[in-house]
Every structure is written in structure tokens, then in C-alpha cells.
Amino acid sequence: LKRVPFYAPWCGHCKKLEPIWNEVGLEMKSIGSPVKVGKMDATSYSSIASEFGVRGYPTIKLLKGDLAYNYRGPRTKDDIIEFAHRVSGALIRPLPSQQMFEHMQKRHRVFFVYIGGESPLKEKYIDAASELIVYTYFFSASEEVVPEYVTLKEMPAVLVFKDETYFVYDEYEDGDLSSWINRERFQNYLAMDGFLLYELGDTGKLVAIAVIDEKNTSVEHTRLKSIIQEVARDYRDLFHRDFQFGHMDGNDYINTLLMDELTVPTVVVLNTSNQQYFLLDRQIKNVEDMVQFINNILDGIVEAQGGDSIWQRLKRIVFDAKSTVVSIFKSSPLMGCFLFGLPLGVISIMCYGIYTADTDGGYIEERYEVSKSENENQEHKEESKEQQEPSSGGSVVPTVQEPKDVLEKKKD
């Protein structure tokens, strides 16, 4: 087993990961893990990087036999080590006793269990595990090992344990098993950030977020967060198939995502799969108001905003360009002046040069035309004058130069 990050020497994120990666290597070595930790410069070994489908830096992959597993979690030491343990071990881990089952419940916040013998459902479960092992744990157990509070209507069954309860997979209501596991691999209530919202885009769920300032201890901020938590807990059976709940500290990321300015505190519901969002149609004073708002969304009463239409994509391009320019000038005004002032200056000089070149060319051409016209007029006048000069006998007599001695005698 090998764990390899593909990096580029000039990549800022790679430099930020380097000390964390060194800690991962030391930790894995100290616990005697079979996973070997290394790294590869993708700019020097571009053909190998292309073979593994590396498109960005840093890219972390765990190589297990002929398979390469991508790591997409937070870049922290504990999360990376947890990923290595999960993927390097057995695809389906057995739970032979109730004590082991209880231990897994304490250790993992979300995990899946197949209960029963050989069946077509187990084959689907194994296929789903081979695809989604990078995200969560998969176990198998007999019916005797399952806690007493678990009620199963039929066997075999697939269950997810999370939020101090469990949910049973229903093929008729939940559809494809892999899709269901992908939707249910998150806790029902989460502290949101940009990375987590990106991951939730694959679930197809709507995400209800209380946008608050966690440093602000006023009643309005704490009340909205408590209402979202209560809805997630008490209405779990009603909404967990369609909704994910959580809160986000600050509105900077949400404003960028929505290309709008939201006033904190507020509640926004995101559809991360198509970039649509829903804003409040009422003031949220209690849980009942929040439940009614969610039901109005499901019934199509609340109008969806945003989306991924061509107009929205063009708007996104303009917004991102504007945000980039503003951020550059805010962080480094001199750098902003240099980056944008220098090209504008060069373009201005080029335009001025082209304009003055055209003006001088026209002026020279005009002078040439005037001079040519004057010469023609002068020649025309001289020809007319010669034709109009008459002789004494009425005829033109050529002038004959007198000899030099005759001229001198006349002078004397």
C-alpha cells in the first residue's frame, strides 16, 4: 500500500500541505501502518501524473493493488490518517459481537451495516462499498449482534447508524443503494463550510443553513441556530430524505455563492446540485415557522432563485472578475496598480501612436497634394506667358546671342 500526493513546486496549497504531510508520514511509521507515505513532483513526472488522472495540485491518492483511491476530505493530519486506515483495511469489516458493535458506534459518527447472509442485496452493498469507501465505513453483522432497539421488518437489510439513531434502506422509497449511501453518509446537522457544501452537491439534498455570526451572542443569532437544530432533530423522519441542516459562521462564502448580499442572521436553503437557492418568505420566530417554510419549498410555493442558466453563468463570470480585481486592490494596492495600470498604459501608448501616425500621414499627403498643385499651376502660367509674347514683325524671332567683342564695343 502506498499513499502518494502529486504536487507542483510552485503550488501554494502544496507548500501549505507539506508540514502536515510530514506529520502524517511520521505518525503512520510510528504506529507500524502498512501504508507507505511518499510524494511525487507531477511537473517532473507528468506522464505518471496523467496516467493517474491528476488535474490539480495537491492530489492525494492511496494506491491499493490495481486501484487508486482519491482523497477529498479536509487536509488535516487526523482526517488523512483516518482515510488511510479506512481504505487500506478490509472493504467490509465484520462485527462479531455486540461489544464490537457498541465500540464502533462510539468511534464513528456515521457507518453502514449489512445484516444477513448471501443475497443480491449484499452484492450491491459490496459494489457500493468499493466506490464509497473513501468517505465512510462499511460493516457486516448477524441479526444477533444488532442492538435490541433496532427493529427490522425484513432480512437482509442495510442500515446507517448516525445521530444516535438508525435508518433502514428501502429499495422502493430510496432507489439505488449507492445513491442512498451517498446521501446518508453525512450527519443530519453539520457546521458548514465551502468544502462541505461542495461535497453535499453529490447528495441531491437541499441544504438549510442558518447564516449567523458565532461571535455574536445576541438572542437573534442563537435563536436561528437553535431552531435549525431542533428541526433537524425532531423532524428527522419527515425531512431527512430531502434536507440537510446546518449553520455557517459569517456570510462571506454565501454572498459569493449567491452573488448577493445577505443580512446576518438569516436562513437560506441551497440546492447545490443546480446552484439554485431559496430565501425566507416569512420571519422565522419559532420551529413552526421554519417547518412551514420548508414545506412551502417542497410544494413549490417559494420561488427558486439563481440556477445554472447561460445568463447566470455570464453573471458569474462578471462577478468573479469583479471580485478578483477588488480583492487584489484590497490586499495590495500597489500590485493592483502594477497589474492593471501597466497593460492599460501600454495600450494607451499604442493607441496614441496609431492615431498620431495616421494624422501625420494625412498631413504629409495633404502637403504633397498642395505642392503638386502649385507646381502644375506655375508651369501652366509659364507656358501661357511664352505663348502670349509677340515679336515686332508679328512673328516670333529667336534671340541670337551677339559675339562677346561686339558687346564690349557697345559698352565702350
Side-chain angles (χ1 to χ4, degrees), residues 185-227:
R185 63 186 175 89
F186 299 97
Q187 291 179 279
N188 203 32
Y189 185 90
L190 297 164
M192 300 290 179
D193 57 21
F195 174 79
L196 192 53
L197 284 176
Y198 175 79
E199 288 292 303
L200 288 171
D202 295 334
T203 66
K205 288 185 178 183
L206 298 176
V207 186
I209 305 173
V211 185
I212 60 174
D213 181 0
E214 288 193 308
K215 296 179 181 178
N216 191 327
T217 57
S218 65
V219 175
E220 188 66 20
H221 286 258
T222 56
R223 181 172 57 83
L224 273 181
K225 181 179 177 181
S226 299
I227 288 174

Side-chain angles (χ1 to χ4, degrees), residues 193-195 197-198 248-259 270:
D193 57 21
F195 174 79
L197 284 176
Y198 175 79
M248 177 173 282
D249 183 19
N251 63 348
D252 291 340
Y253 183 83
I254 290 292
N255 288 342
T256 302
L257 193 65
L258 307 187
M259 296 181 288
L270 303 176

Side-chain angles (χ1 to χ4, degrees), residues 8 20 24 33 124 126-127 212 230 257 260 273 310 343 357 377 400:
I20 299 173
V24 170
S33 172
K124 294 179 182 179
I126 294 173
D127 291 340
I212 60 174
E230 192 171 342
L257 193 65
D260 198 355
S273 61
I310 295 177
N377 290 338
V400 180

Side-chain angles (χ1 to χ4, degrees), residues 358-377:
D358 289 343
T359 303
D360 292 343
Y363 177 67
I364 293 171
E365 184 177 353
E366 182 178 354
R367 288 181 57 192
Y368 173 75
E369 293 292 338
V370 171
S371 300
K372 182 177 179 182
S373 177
E374 290 178 353
N375 291 336
E376 290 178 351
N377 290 338

Side-chain angles (χ1 to χ4, degrees), residues 391-406:
S391 62
S392 59
S395 59
V396 180
V397 180
T399 303
V400 180
Q401 184 177 1
E402 295 183 359
K404 185 177 180 181
D405 55 346
V406 175

Side-chain angles (χ1 to χ4, degrees), residues 137-360:
Y137 282 91
F138 295 87
F139 297 94
S140 64
S142 63
E143 191 174 3
E144 293 76 19
V145 173
V146 177
E148 294 181 357
Y149 65 83
V150 175
T151 302
L152 298 176
K153 295 180 181 180
E154 59 182 14
M155 295 282 291
V158 176
L159 290 76
V160 57
F161 288 83
K162 63 178 182 178
D163 303 321
E164 299 179 353
T165 187
Y166 68 95
F167 300 97
V168 182
Y169 166 69
D170 187 323
E171 185 175 2
Y172 297 101
E173 291 188 12
D174 298 317
D176 179 66
L177 178 59
S178 292
S179 300
W180 177 76
I181 292 175
N182 196 41
R183 290 195 303 270
E184 297 297 332
R185 63 186 175 89
F186 299 97
Q187 291 179 279
N188 203 32
Y189 185 90
L190 297 164
M192 300 290 179
D193 57 21
F195 174 79
L196 192 53
L197 284 176
Y198 175 79
E199 288 292 303
L200 288 171
D202 295 334
T203 66
K205 288 185 178 183
L206 298 176
V207 186
I209 305 173
V211 185
I212 60 174
D213 181 0
E214 288 193 308
K215 296 179 181 178
N216 191 327
T217 57
S218 65
V219 175
E220 188 66 20
H221 286 258
T222 56
R223 181 172 57 83
L224 273 181
K225 181 179 177 181
S226 299
I227 288 174
I228 292 287
Q229 287 176 325
E230 192 171 342
V231 171
R233 182 184 67 247
D234 297 342
Y235 292 82
R236 189 190 336 255
D237 293 337
L238 186 61
F239 294 136
H240 87 274
R241 281 188 171 90
D242 301 306
F243 275 86
Q244 183 74 46
F245 298 93
H247 73 274
M248 177 173 282
D249 183 19
N251 63 348
D252 291 340
Y253 183 83
I254 290 292
N255 288 342
T256 302
L257 193 65
L258 307 187
M259 296 181 288
D260 198 355
E261 290 289 335
L262 294 185
T263 302
V264 176
T266 188
V267 173
V268 61
V269 176
L270 303 176
N271 186 339
T272 54
S273 61
N274 62 8
Q275 300 181 20
Q276 288 184 339
Y277 61 93
F278 303 87
L279 299 179
L280 290 176
D281 63 343
R282 65 188 64 241
Q283 187 176 0
I284 305 297
K285 296 181 180 180
N286 49 46
V287 172
E288 288 72 24
D289 289 334
M290 188 65 206
V291 171
Q292 186 61 50
F293 174 55
I294 291 174
N295 284 326
N296 287 347
I297 292 175
L298 294 175
D299 295 338
I301 298 175
V302 181
E303 182 181 357
Q305 303 184 45
D308 54 0
S309 63
I310 295 177
W311 165 246
Q312 288 295 325
R313 292 176 186 178
L314 292 175
K315 185 179 177 181
R316 169 63 62 186
I317 292 173
V318 174
F319 179 84
D320 289 344
K322 179 182 176 182
S323 301
T324 301
V325 173
V326 171
S327 63
I328 290 175
F329 274 98
K330 281 185 177 180
S331 61
S332 179
L334 292 177
M335 179 63 71
C337 292
F338 176 77
L339 290 176
F340 296 100
L342 182 61
L344 290 175
V346 173
I347 293 173
S348 300
I349 293 173
M350 292 175 62
C351 293
Y352 176 77
I354 294 172
Y355 173 77
T356 54
D358 289 343
T359 303
D360 292 343

